[in-house]
């Protein structure tokens, strides 16, 4: 529904993102010091909020970091693309994902990191805390969970999240 590339000091507050075929919000390459607060994301074909890119940025201007995602209600996702994530942080650092309520989706509520293996990447020092995550999976997909991390992420902290009612298709 909304894509921001190179956004700096953007504040999205008390907004509604609904009935879109993909993600509700995408903070892409070079997006820094942004805030997404007290907004409502629902009835989406993909996921809720996506931060960063799959590939690492070769220069400082393309780095994605220091974004705050807090106090949002995110639910009924993946209605077209079942693998939509509630909040997906890729190659991005120093973000805070806190006090969000994410529920009723077919895949992962919060995913942080996008690097296979043990190589250095641009995903580090992220905080995932005090989120309420539930009614995840709905027995459709298998490789998913409440919080999913991928790659080496020094300084990343996951604490005080309430996760329940996660069901996968198999294993």
């Amino acid at each position: 529904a909304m894509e921001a590339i190179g956004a700096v000091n953007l504040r999205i507050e008390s907004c509604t993102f609904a009935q879109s075929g993909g993600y509700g919000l995408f903070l892409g390459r070079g997006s820094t010091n942004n805030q997404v607060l007290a907004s409502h994301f629902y009835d989406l074909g993909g996921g809720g909020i996506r931060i960063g890119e799959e590939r690492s940025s070769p220069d400082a201007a393309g780095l994605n970091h220091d974004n705050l995602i807090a106090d949002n209600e995110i639910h009924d996702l993946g209605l077209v693309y079942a693998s939509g994530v509630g909040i997906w942080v890729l190659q991005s650092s120093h973000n805070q994902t806190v006090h969000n309520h994410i529920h009723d989706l077919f895949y992962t509520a919060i995913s942080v990191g996008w690097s296979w293996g043990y190589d250095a990447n641009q995903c580090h020092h992220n905080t995932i805390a005090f989120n309420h995550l539930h009614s995840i999976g709905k027995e459709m997909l298998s490789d998913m969970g409440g919080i999913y991390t991928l790659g080496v992420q020094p300084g990343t902290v996951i604490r005080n999240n309430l996760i329940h009612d996660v069901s996968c298709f198999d294993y």
Side-chain angles (χ1 to χ4, degrees), residues 52-119:
E53 308 276 342
E54 289 94 357
R55 294 188 181 111
S56 295
S57 176
D59 57 57
L63 294 177
N64 187 295
H65 57 85
D66 292 292
N67 298 293
L68 171 63
I69 310 300
D71 301 309
N72 299 288
E73 176 87 12
I74 303 171
H75 62 93
D76 294 301
L77 307 176
L79 302 178
V80 176
Y81 304 101
S83 59
V85 176
I87 298 172
W88 190 14
V89 179
L90 294 108
Q91 296 293 341
S92 186
S93 65
H94 295 91
N95 300 292
Q96 294 183 60
T97 302
V98 296
H99 297 283
N100 298 287
H101 183 198
I102 305 172
H103 58 94
D104 293 296
L105 65 161
F106 300 103
Y107 193 55
T108 298
I110 298 173
S111 183
V112 180
W114 194 248
S115 294
W116 295 94
Y118 300 98
D119 293 334

Side-chain angles (χ1 to χ4, degrees), residues 126-149:
N126 290 298
T127 300
I128 303 131
F130 302 102
N131 298 288
H132 184 191
L133 316 172
H134 65 92
S135 304
I136 300 159
K138 300 183 179 188
E139 299 181 1
M140 180 181 278
L141 301 173
S142 295
D143 185 16
M144 55 90 194
I147 298 172
Y148 190 118
T149 61

Side-chain angles (χ1 to χ4, degrees), residues 11-86:
R11 184 179 178 120
I12 297 170
E13 185 171 9
S14 300
C15 293
T16 298
F17 295 82
Q19 299 176 337
S20 173
Y23 272 78
L25 173 63
F26 172 40
L27 297 176
R29 187 168 303 282
S31 294
T32 63
N33 298 306
N34 301 298
Q35 298 179 349
V36 182
L37 308 170
S39 291
H40 193 185
F41 295 79
Y42 71 97
D43 192 18
L44 296 170
I49 302 168
R50 179 179 162 182
I51 302 171
E53 308 276 342
E54 289 94 357
R55 294 188 181 111
S56 295
S57 176
D59 57 57
L63 294 177
N64 187 295
H65 57 85
D66 292 292
N67 298 293
L68 171 63
I69 310 300
D71 301 309
N72 299 288
E73 176 87 12
I74 303 171
H75 62 93
D76 294 301
L77 307 176
L79 302 178
V80 176
Y81 304 101
S83 59
V85 176

